[in-house]
Amino acid sequence: MPKIGMEPKRRRALIDATIAAIGERGSIDVTMSEIAGLAGVSSALAHHYFGAKTDLLQATMRHLLSELGADCRAALAGVTTPRQRVSAVIAVNFSEKQFRPDIIAAWLAFYVEAQRSAATRRLLRVYARRLHSNLMSGLTALLDRPAAARAAEGIAAMIDGLYIRHALKDQPPDAAAAIALVEDYLETRLQDAGAPR
């Protein structure tokens, strides 16, 4: 029987172990036994808390979305201009907490899984809508709405693309270079439109 009060800690340990296991394997082709072993619990306890592996994977993805959302809200709390707002959204996606090998591998695995899982696809749509909304909240003050939407789509594509590229590299992620590349794209869009910066 699980110990009283341990459920939140063990659920979090299993989610962290899922991220680590996906990071090591590079795919979601991991077993509940492997995940449970990394979390230091039995497979039976992992199944008790999450049921099937698909339930644990969904909980892990919701956790990643929640963490990214909280980090984004914190990053936006201190900004005062629309331009700073867009930069904060870009930077949070490449923060030390978010842009690390195991998290990158998990996102890539979830993108692949979304091809066969409607639930995963729905969660990725939530992520895409949030990112678009956060970018648009700054961009619409800098560009007309159609240009802002195009810039937001381009920035989102670059963020996703840089995650994919870094997932395939055998070297640590370079957050500063990734941010600089996306910021350069944004500056080009703003200059082309004659927008205030």
Side-chain angles (χ1 to χ4, degrees), residues 137-186:
S137 69
L139 288 168
T140 52
L142 301 169
L143 299 165
D144 64 53
R145 192 151 192 90
R150 283 192 305 277
E153 186 66 23
I155 291 168
M158 289 187 78
I159 290 169
D160 292 345
L162 287 163
Y163 266 69
I164 291 168
R165 283 183 171 226
H166 282 285
L168 303 174
K169 289 184 178 181
D170 289 333
Q171 58 194 26
D174 187 346
I179 291 169
L181 190 61
V182 180
E183 286 285 343
D184 184 59
Y185 167 79
L186 175 59

